């Protein structure tokens, strides 16, 4: 009972904090500033008033005047910051398109007038260019609805459902449904129709939007391919050989946890890859020493994101720099965004404290609270997962044993994993324009700013997806029969010849960017199956150090369930 109350305490505290926040009155000036930024840069920035003003001025400077109810409020700091932030984003967009930006000068001949009018919960904007020749209206965005307390309702409902049902998916679904229903109410639907129409939007708008998102598809493909790779090398004995190699240094609980931390620090370039590779590699060794799954998850998670957050070269840092770089001029910061990142490194307290805590916790072996109970359970009873617990990794994937009679060689796991790391870095370098920079300005690659430019432009889910697929292909080639190897090579040849035309045929019916992936996947799979069928193993007399194609596919599927 006491442990259950301790587990509920953070959730109840969060719910109480949310209710307390809901009782506070929002700051009107901050809400208007947020609304002004939204009206200046709508969902389609090229149709907003800033884009229209820049297009008509074509580099000519313009003065700024912001009014509210006829009164000049140009000096209001919140509104001024909101305008400068929107202006920086618009100028960055136009600079990328090689078009002149919008220049603000107090003594300019023409004036950009922004008139704010609040009608209840809606904020309207009247934008126009005025000068000696008269006034010229600019296209206005749709009125912006100022947020109120109802915006906290979806997360509150999600928390309450999670507390009541203890089901994450149900809680998230309820929160999304409430949010979609509130949006329907704002759009003018009646109270009786808002809920059913919101349910339709959950499926047709939000779920469908997620399913056709290239980023999400690439992330799902990356996770699936990497888990399939782990299943293949597990069945082929490579993972057991790697664990035996690591076990020479990790003979105790302390050394095993420290080895897990060290492996996490070595995969510093991406937190997704870190969690999947380190977690799957060290899980068998931690199971052997009766380290609870909770402790393994804590060590892996508290190493992956923090090490990526303080690494000088990581996909997370590249994304982070890209998000705040456009906002620096609005805050009066003229330094390079990468220099700002370097200056913030000493203040990344979570990252440094999390890494230090993992090391101290592994070295001292002192746990407390639910973690102490989990470790005591695992050591005394051998139950790595608590009674009633459901691990995220399937039983078929986590308990996959090597095939009998195969040599357990660490290289069969190390080579595919090294391929994942190498291809990830290569794809980031290629996608970020590294080869072009190497040809045009090789000296820039000798600076940190040059490498971070490449990372910022090349990072994303696509390099991870391509790298995991390449690692899976190599694992199949290393451990598969000669027939399967022939099929994989045949698939590469087929992709070189036919992937382009097939992708062009699939492109009109698929989300942008996915036709190439599907075409390559279809050709590789078809050629792999054909090779395994057309060239049975008995025609290729070799030592029995391989697995048939069907067994490899079953191992891959078992790890991805």
């Amino acid at each position: 009972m006491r442990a259950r109350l301790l587990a509920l305490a953070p959730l109840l505290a969060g719910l109480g904090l949310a209710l307390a926040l809901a009782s506070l009155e929002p700051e009107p000036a901050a809400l208007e500033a947020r609304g002004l930024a939204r009206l200046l840069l709508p969902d389609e920035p090229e149709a907003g008033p800033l884009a229209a003003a820049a297009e008509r001025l074509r580099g000519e400077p313009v003065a700024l005047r912001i009014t509210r109810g006829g009164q000049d409020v140009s000096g209001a700091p919140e509104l001024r910051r909101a305008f400068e932030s929107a202006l920086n984003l618009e100028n960055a967009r136009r600079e990328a398109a090689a078009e002149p930006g919008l220049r603000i000068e107090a003594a300019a001949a023409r004036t950009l007038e922004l008139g704010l009018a609040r009608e209840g919960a809606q904020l309207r904007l009247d934008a126009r260019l005025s000068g000696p020749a008269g006034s010229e209206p600019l296209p206005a965005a749709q009125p912006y609805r100022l947020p109120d307390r109802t915006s906290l309702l979806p997360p509150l409902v999600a928390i309450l459902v999670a507390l009541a049902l203890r089901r994450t998916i149900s809680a998230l679904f309820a929160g999304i449904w409430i949010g979609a229903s509130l949006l329907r109410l704002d759009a003018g639907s009646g109270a009786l129709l808002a809920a059913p129409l919101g349910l339709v939007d959950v499926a047709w708008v939000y779920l469908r939007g997620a399913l056709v998102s290239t980023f999400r598809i690439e992330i799902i493909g990356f996770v699936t391919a990497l888990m399939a790779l782990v299943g293949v090398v597990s069945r082929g004995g490579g993972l057991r050989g790697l664990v035996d190699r690591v076990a020479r240094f990790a003979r105790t609980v302390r050394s095993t946890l420290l080895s897990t931390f060290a492996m996490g620090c070595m995969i510093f370039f991406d937190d997704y890859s870190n969690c999947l590779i380190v977690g799957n590699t060290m899980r068998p060794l931690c199971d052997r020493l009766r380290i609870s799954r909770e402790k393994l998850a804590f060590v892996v998670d508290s190493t992956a994101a923090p090490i990526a957050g303080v690494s000088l070269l990581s996909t997370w840092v590249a994304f982070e720099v890209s998000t705040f770089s456009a906002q620096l001029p609005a805050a009066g910061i003229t330094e390079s965004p990468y220099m700002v990142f370097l200056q913030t490194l000493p203040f990344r307290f979570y990252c440094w404290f999390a890494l230090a805590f993992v090391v101290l916790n592994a070295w001292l072996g002192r746990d407390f609270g639910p973690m102490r109970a989990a470790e005591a359970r695992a050591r005394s009873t051998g139950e790595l997962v608590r009674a009633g617990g459901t691990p995220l990794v399937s039983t078929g994937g986590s308990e996959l044993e090597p095939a009998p009679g195969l040599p357990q060689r660490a290289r069969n796991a190390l080579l595919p994993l090294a391929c994942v790391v190498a291809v990830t870095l290569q794809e980031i370098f290629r996608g970020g324009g590294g080869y072009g920079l190497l040809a045009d300005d090789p000296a820039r690659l000798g600076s940190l700013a040059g490498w971070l430019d490449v990372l910022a432009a090349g990072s994303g889910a696509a390099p991870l997806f391509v790298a995991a697929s390449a690692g899976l292909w190599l694992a199949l080639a290393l451990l598969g029969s000669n027939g399967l190897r022939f099929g994989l090579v045949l698939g590469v040849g087929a992709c070189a010849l036919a992937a382009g035309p097939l992708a062009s045929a699939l492109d009109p019916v698929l989300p942008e960017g996915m036709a190439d992936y599907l075409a390559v996947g279809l050709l590789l799979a078809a050629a792999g199956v054909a090779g395994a069928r057309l060239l049975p193993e008995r025609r290729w007399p070799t030592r029995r150090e391989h697995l048939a194609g069907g067994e490899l596919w079953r191992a891959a599927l078992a790890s991805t369930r």
Side-chain angles (χ1 to χ4, degrees), residues 27 97 104 144 192 222 279 292 312 321 334 434 457 470 551:
E27 180 65 33
I104 303 297
Y144 175 74
L192 295 177
F222 158 67
S292 66
L312 297 182
V321 170
T334 58
E551 189 170 5

Side-chain angles (χ1 to χ4, degrees), residues 121-394:
Q122 287 191 334
L123 188 69
R124 298 179 180 274
L125 176 66
D126 177 31
R128 59 184 58 247
L129 284 174
S130 61
S135 179
E136 179 183 4
L138 298 173
Q142 293 294 325
Y144 175 74
R145 188 184 187 282
L146 298 172
D148 54 21
R149 292 191 183 93
T150 58
S151 59
L152 293 176
L153 189 58
L156 285 176
V157 169
I159 293 173
L160 291 174
V161 173
L163 289 172
L165 302 181
R166 296 174 178 265
R167 294 288 186 272
T168 305
I169 301 299
S170 301
L172 293 175
F173 174 79
I176 297 172
W177 187 6
I178 293 296
S181 301
L182 290 176
L183 290 175
R184 277 291 182 174
L185 279 175
D186 291 340
S189 300
L192 295 177
L193 292 176
L197 291 177
L199 182 60
V200 173
D201 287 343
V202 169
W204 185 250
V205 177
Y206 303 108
L207 179 60
R208 177 175 173 269
L211 292 177
V212 300
S213 168
T214 304
F215 173 79
R216 289 180 174 85
I217 293 174
E218 287 168 348
I219 285 293
I220 293 172
F222 158 67
V223 173
T224 302
L226 198 58
M227 294 301 295
L229 183 156
V230 171
V232 169
V233 298
S234 296
R235 188 60 177 161
L239 195 58
R240 177 66 61 83
L242 179 59
V243 169
D244 291 341
R245 182 77 61 88
V246 176
R248 300 175 187 175
F249 309 97
R251 299 179 181 275
T252 64
V253 171
R254 175 190 294 175
S255 59
T256 299
L257 293 177
L258 290 175
S259 298
T260 304
F261 171 79
M263 288 188 65
C265 291
M266 287 189 291
I267 305 178
F268 58 85
F269 59 88
D270 184 76
D271 50 344
Y272 287 124
S273 301
N274 192 313
C275 287
L276 287 174
I277 293 176
V278 177
N280 285 287
T281 301
M282 297 303 295
R283 185 172 58 241
L285 187 57
C286 290
D287 290 353
R288 184 186 303 176
L289 294 173
R290 292 190 173 187
I291 298 174
S292 66
R293 294 289 178 82
E294 293 92 330
K295 188 61 173 286
L296 174 62
F298 160 73
V299 173
V300 171
D301 181 72
S302 297
T303 305
I307 200 65
V310 297
S311 170
L312 297 182
L313 296 174
S314 74
T315 55
W316 169 249
V317 168
F319 168 76
E320 184 180 344
V321 170
S322 69
T323 58
F324 69 69
S325 58
Q327 315 301 327
L328 295 181
I333 300 175
T334 58
E335 291 185 274
S336 165
Y338 309 112
M339 185 58 64
V340 173
F341 160 70
L342 292 177
Q343 292 171 351
T344 64
L345 284 179
F347 306 101
R348 294 174 177 253
F349 299 120
Y350 166 72
C351 296
W352 297 121
F353 288 162
L355 294 172
F357 184 76
V358 170
V359 175
L360 288 174
N361 182 257
W363 183 263
L364 299 176
R366 300 295 298 272
D367 296 302
F368 54 89
M371 185 65 76
R372 182 178 180 180
E375 284 292 275
R377 179 203 69 226
R379 303 290 163 71
S380 60
T381 66
E383 294 181 2
L384 303 175
V385 180
R386 65 174 176 83
T390 305
L392 294 179
V393 180
S394 66

Side-chain angles (χ1 to χ4, degrees), residues 32-42 50 81-83 85-86 123:
E32 287 188 356
R34 179 179 177 181
L36 174 62
R38 182 68 174 173
L39 290 169
L40 290 172
L41 285 181
L50 287 183
R81 283 196 297 268
F83 173 80
S85 176
L123 188 69

